[in-house]
Amino acid sequence: MISLELDGIEKAYNKGTDKEVAVLRGASVAIKAGEAVALVAPSGTGKSTLLHIAGLLDTADAGAVRIGGEEMTGLSDRRRTGVRRRDVGFVYQFHHLLPEFTAEENIVLPQLAEGVAQSVAAGHARALMESVGVGGRADHRPAALSGGEQQRVAFCRALANRPRVLLADEPTGNLDPETSDTVFEAMMTLVRETGLAALIATHNMELAARMDRVLRLQDGRIVCD
Ligand code: ADP
Ligand code: ADP
């Protein structure tokens, strides 16, 4: 099953002015459930724009976004926000965990927002943390965790509401090589266990090569590496 599909995505900034810049010029990709795809894109090529459009944080000028086979174009803002919260998980280079809450609470809160009962949410948070080796850190606040632990918790939070799609932007970009490897393995475990479709932007060619496919963003299009 195709979980995430981008079909002919076009996006320009400053449209209709002399500063118009066409960033995406027909970018297409289809990612199956359980598949982890690397996106290699030098800075300035439109990687963030593409991830934001895929994650329904921004809209394309043309082309289609389908999540779980459902066409996103033309949905109301309210429906798009609902799909984004339920079906899309984001991870960034920096963890963006809420500093005043524990690791577990950071994973519980998005579930409560979706109406999940506290005890169920806590159980799910614990299971996610166990699966990536941070079960023993549940009661720590982010500042008390190592960089690798923070990122593993960030992945757990992104997956809290069992999304279909995981979008990650340089998730290991701020980590040393050994920690990157641990976080990468944790991410792959979660992708395999949950059957997510994952699109992971990275500059790390060694990690990219260990994913199912490596794609490149070039001249506004997605090409095979
Ligand atoms: P990347 O993530 O690959 O660095 P971005 O998607 O952030 O690339 O940006 C791609 C291009 O679009 C860059 O040239 C950037 O300057 C431009 N750009 C991004 N966002 C905006 C914006 N809001 N307004 C105008 N230009 C933008
Ligand atoms: P709403 O539009 O309903 O206020 P939020 O702004 O809370 O929704 O966004 C929902 C999720 O989308 C957040 O958990 C966050 O990870 C992500 N998000 C929202 N805005 C941005 C943004 N500008 N850049 C990156 N991620 C964002």
Side-chain angles (χ1 to χ4, degrees), residues 13-14 19 21-23 41-50 169 217:
Y13 291 107
N14 304 318
K19 281 184 265 169
V21 46
V23 178
S43 294
T45 53
K47 175 196 68 179
S48 304
T49 302
L50 185 85
D169 194 352
L217 187 55

